[in-house]
Amino acid sequence: MASTELVNFAGLSFLCEKLRLESLLIKHEKSTLEDLNRKVIKEYNNICKQIWIYRHQQEILNQLINSDINVSPENCCQLFNNLYASNFVEAYKILNQYAAEIVQIYKILACAPRAVSMFLNATEKITAINYTIDELCSCVFNVIYGSCFFPEDEKNMLELLGHLINLQIVQNPDPRKILRKGNSVFSRMYKCFSESLLSTKIFLTAALHEPIMFLLSQDELFLDIDPSKSPIRIPAHERRFRFGPDENSKSYKDKLAQHRRIIVDRLVLVVETFINAILNAMPIFPKSIIWLVDQMHTAMIERKLVSNDEAALICTDLIFTYFICSAVIHPEPLGIISDTPIRFAFLYFFQNFHTLGIF
């Protein structure tokens, strides 16, 4: 009897020791998970701060490119320094008990892209407002959808754009015209979306970096195929040296024609380089843009407001004019090229390239 009790006690003691060790292990694992969770939250907050700074830097750069009166080369560094010196404060310290309610509102809006699209569409028709539509779209994109940094935000943003297609593009009697103007909410939100996705930057860099650098490596030459404009762009003394002093002579016209053939050959070479590079990068074309273009094409065909050819042209505009050409004209903000001086040949070619995209 005593022996049996001793065995039971030993077994119970062993079980208690094992449970104690298990408890210690669980506490250690729990503590480790809590530490990891705190680190994740800290890194998440840092990422959000960097996204906020990056988006404002991009807005400043866009304002500088578009010659905004509030941004100039002289005050750009000061504006950037102000961004870097921004002091981020936890919302609850300012909003107190209302912080949780406001966060909940943001969550509701983020999960209700249809409601947000209707709100944006209605706001566009209001004239007496203290903010611009650009500011509103930027605020919605950055605050509610977190600059599409996370997949869930990207998904909700795509749904928002899909609803805006039905509200603004399909309902318009001339959808291509409203896209060309670029002042609709859809156009603004599409611009924010296409410029922020990592997948779009990867595609654009793969497709455009090499041809842009190839163009920049060419000799300074105005890529103008209009024979009446070609000599005008060349200084008078150089024009006399190249073609001769008499503009009506046969020799002058022959040399001018030869000069034009050189320009045409150069244009063909550069355009072929761009086309081949874009085609080679098509396997990594952003799937989000593909889905959006498919939604637009389907919506226009189902409503039977435009012909199949017109729908194809509108979808081409969405990809070529407002996505690829936009990056071609301003490659620096997207990181396609950097620290590279833009030369006249570059600028003039891309003006023509953009014109090809429009027509």
Side-chain angles (χ1 to χ4, degrees):
M1 184 69 178
S3 176
T4 303
E5 291 178 354
L6 185 62
V7 170
N8 291 337
F9 178 78
L12 185 60
S13 177
F14 175 77
L15 180 61
C16 289
E17 180 64 19
K18 188 173 182 180
L19 290 174
R20 188 182 70 83
L21 293 175
E22 289 289 340
S23 176
L24 291 175
L25 179 62
I26 291 173
K27 288 181 180 179
H28 179 266
E29 291 293 332
K30 183 179 178 181
S31 176
T32 302
L33 288 174
E34 289 175 350
D35 290 340
L36 289 175
N37 188 52
R38 282 192 290 269
K39 290 180 181 179
V40 168
I41 293 175
K42 182 179 179 181
E43 291 300 321
Y44 173 80
N45 291 334
N46 288 334
I47 289 173
C48 291
K49 293 174 184 177
Q50 293 301 318
I51 291 173
W52 184 87
I53 293 174
Y54 161 74
R55 287 299 305 171
H56 281 75
Q57 286 177 331
Q58 195 168 39
E59 289 176 10
I60 291 172
L61 182 57
N62 289 335
Q63 288 176 314
L64 180 63
I65 292 173
N66 296 324
S67 302
D68 191 287
I69 59 174
N70 297 318
V71 180
S72 65
E74 290 75 19
N75 69 349
C76 269
C77 292
Q78 181 61 44
L79 293 173
F80 282 169
N81 288 334
N82 292 340
L83 290 177
Y84 295 135
S86 299
N87 182 29
F88 294 88
V89 181
E90 295 289 343
Y92 71 89
K93 295 181 180 179
I94 303 296
L95 302 174
N96 299 320
Q97 70 272 21
Y98 302 109
E101 285 81 357
I102 293 177
V103 170
Q104 190 63 28
I105 291 173
Y106 284 155
K107 289 181 179 179
I108 293 173
L109 290 174
C111 297
R114 180 179 179 84
V116 176
S117 66
M118 295 175 68
F119 163 75
L120 290 173
N121 184 54
T123 306
E124 190 179 42
K125 302 173 184 177
I126 301 174
T127 56
I129 53 178
N130 297 325
Y131 49 83
T132 65
I133 299 298
D134 279 330
E135 291 173 341
L136 176 62
C137 291
S138 177
C139 182
V140 169
F141 182 75
N142 294 324
V143 176
I144 297 179
Y145 296 107
S147 300
C148 289
F149 188 81
F150 296 102
E152 186 65 24
D153 294 325
E154 181 180 340
K155 175 179 174 293
N156 291 330
M157 184 66 186
L158 279 173
E159 291 185 22
L160 169 70
L161 290 170
H163 291 307
L164 285 174
I165 288 174
N166 293 321
L167 290 172
Q168 294 193 328
I169 307 302
V170 177
Q171 300 289 345
N172 195 285
D174 191 353
R176 196 178 186 196
K177 182 179 180 180
I178 192 173
L179 281 176
R180 281 185 178 183
K181 288 182 177 179
N183 56 3
S184 64
V185 169
F186 172 82
S187 298
R188 291 182 169 98
M189 296 301 288
Y190 177 71
K191 184 176 185 294
C192 292
F193 178 73
S194 61
E195 289 180 352
S196 298
L197 287 183
L198 178 61
S199 58
T200 62
K201 294 178 182 178
I202 293 174
F203 167 76
L204 292 172
T205 302
L208 301 178
H209 177 76
E210 183 177 345
I212 288 176
M213 296 306 295
F214 172 75
L215 177 59
L216 290 173
S217 68
Q218 302 299 303
D219 296 332
E220 284 289 352
L221 187 66
F222 285 103
L223 301 178
D224 195 339
I225 60 175
D226 188 343
S228 63
K229 293 181 179 179
S230 295
I232 298 176
R233 301 184 186 279
I234 302 174
H237 66 280
E238 186 176 348
R239 190 163 62 243
R240 287 192 296 269
F241 176 77
R242 285 189 181 186
F243 310 126
D246 186 5
E247 296 183 3
N248 297 318
S249 65
K250 184 177 183 301
S251 174
Y252 182 95
K253 294 179 180 179
D254 290 342
K255 290 180 180 179
L256 181 61
Q258 183 181 4
H259 174 74
R260 183 170 181 269
R261 283 194 296 271
I262 293 174
I263 293 177
V264 171
D265 292 340
R266 186 74 60 83
L267 271 173
V268 170
L269 178 61
V270 172
V271 170
E272 285 181 347
T273 303
F274 271 88
I275 292 174
N276 292 332
I278 292 172
L279 290 176
N280 291 335
M282 287 308 292
I284 59 172
F285 192 87
K287 290 181 173 56
S288 298
I289 304 295
I290 294 175
W291 181 88
L292 190 63
V293 172
D294 180 67
Q295 291 295 306
M296 176 170 285
H297 186 270
T298 302
M300 288 187 294
I301 295 300
E302 286 180 351
R303 297 291 182 91
K304 298 181 179 180
L305 296 177
V306 296
S307 64
N308 289 342
D309 292 340
E310 184 70 15
L313 284 174
I314 293 171
C315 292
T316 302
D317 281 343
L318 199 63
I319 296 175
F320 187 75
T321 306
Y322 307 113
F323 178 51
I324 295 179
C325 272
S326 178
V328 167
I329 295 171
H330 300 302
E332 301 95 333
L334 297 170
I336 298 173
I337 62 172
S338 61
D339 301 328
T340 303
I342 303 302
R343 297 157 64 180
F344 289 111
F346 178 90
L347 293 174
Y348 193 76
F349 169 78
F350 284 152
Q351 287 174 1
N352 287 327
F353 195 75
H354 186 246
T355 303
L356 289 175
I358 293 177
F359 294 102

